[in-house]
Amino acid sequence: MGKLKFNRIFSAGALATTLVVSGCASVQTTQSGAVGVERQQYMSGLVSEQALQQEAAQQYNSLLSQARAQGKLDTNAAQTRRVQNIAQRLIAQAGVFRPDAAQWNWEVHVLNDNQVNAWCMPGGKIAVYSGLINRLNPTDDELAAVIGHEIAHALREHSREQVSQQMATQLGLSVLAAVTGSQASANLGNALTNVMFTLPNSRTHEIEADRIGTELAARAGYNPNAAVTLWQKMAALDRGNAPPEFLSTHPSPDTRIQDLQVIANQVMPLYERTQGR
């Protein structure tokens, strides 16, 4: 997404001591939904879902404490209520894709920052930046598209999948199995930091998040066509700064908009059902 990428803020330090090295296993983190997300994912066991969620909760609390100390946490009460109300409607639909998400300790806050940014950590820790609201001026439907997209990343455990792929590719599972103690923790911690801070989401992850996020929005009663208008606004804001598609790991805005138009049409009956039609 160029400068408008929805960055994921995360630190791997404390998590490294809880990681377990093992082989890859094929898993399906979510149900396919109406949009048909059925790709099998490969998780190496380098980090468990539980450990990742625990670390995410710690980092989220730390970030909130820092924002609170700086006077940047939920500073606009009306804006915060708006974001939280939209998020709660989306969260209520997460069980369509992943029933166990109902037990996640979901949290939603607004950070007073000019970045056009939003993210959802593993386990449902959500933040929306005021810059996204102030600079894009999104409708509720468009804001639902943003938050739904980020929730979808968490439901699909894209962060854990990236770590698994990173470690398997760069170090090799046979090498990892031979590394023990503090060296293993350091290697794994470095990989997590790289994934969370540096590497963008893959095209596949972005497409899946678009598809699931749009369906979540439609089921929650938000017009799925707003995902299209949202990215039109994104493209206008970032015009001239985005790299050519072949140089990016993300779909170009035009490609993304075309795909979202197809998805919106696909899930429109779900939205219409919520409108009593």
Side-chain angles (χ1 to χ4, degrees), residues 141-232:
D141 295 315
E142 290 169 342
L143 196 50
V146 173
I147 300 172
H149 175 99
E150 295 304 320
I151 288 174
H153 279 306
L155 294 177
R156 286 292 283 173
E157 294 188 63
H158 284 155
S159 295
R160 186 160 74 103
E161 186 179 11
Q162 278 187 294
V163 171
S164 298
Q165 294 170 348
Q166 171 100 350
M167 298 303 293
T169 300
Q170 293 191 357
L171 299 180
L173 293 176
S174 60
V175 174
L176 282 173
V179 181
T180 60
S182 60
Q183 183 61 48
S185 296
N187 287 339
L188 295 169
N190 289 339
L192 282 169
T193 299
N194 192 29
V195 165
M196 300 303 174
F197 284 112
T198 306
L199 297 179
N201 285 304
S202 70
R203 290 175 185 241
T204 298
H205 288 177
E206 287 297 298
I207 291 169
E208 288 180 348
D210 280 347
R211 298 184 72 83
I212 291 175
T214 303
E215 180 171 339
L216 286 175
R219 289 182 178 276
Y222 294 105
N223 192 327
N225 286 319
V228 176
T229 58
L230 168 75
W231 276 98
Q232 289 171 338

Side-chain angles (χ1 to χ4, degrees), residues 107-128:
E107 294 186 62
V108 186
H109 292 280
V110 176
L111 302 181
N112 187 14
D113 190 292
N114 196 44
Q115 294 182 64
V116 179
N117 198 7
W119 40 261
C120 180
M121 286 182 173
K125 307 302 185 185
I126 299 171
V128 176

Side-chain angles (χ1 to χ4, degrees), residues 31-76:
Q31 303 297 317
S32 62
V35 292
V37 175
E38 298 177 343
R39 178 181 64 90
Q40 288 292 309
Q41 299 166 270
Y42 290 89
M43 305 293 186
S44 70
L46 296 172
V47 55
S48 71
E49 176 190 356
Q50 181 182 13
L52 197 63
Q53 290 189 10
Q54 289 175 347
E55 174 66 8
Q58 292 175 8
Q59 294 301 318
Y60 189 71
N61 289 335
S62 177
L63 185 147
L64 294 185
S65 296
Q66 182 180 6
R68 187 180 294 110
Q70 296 173 345
K72 295 184 177 183
L73 180 66
D74 299 329
T75 57
N76 183 321

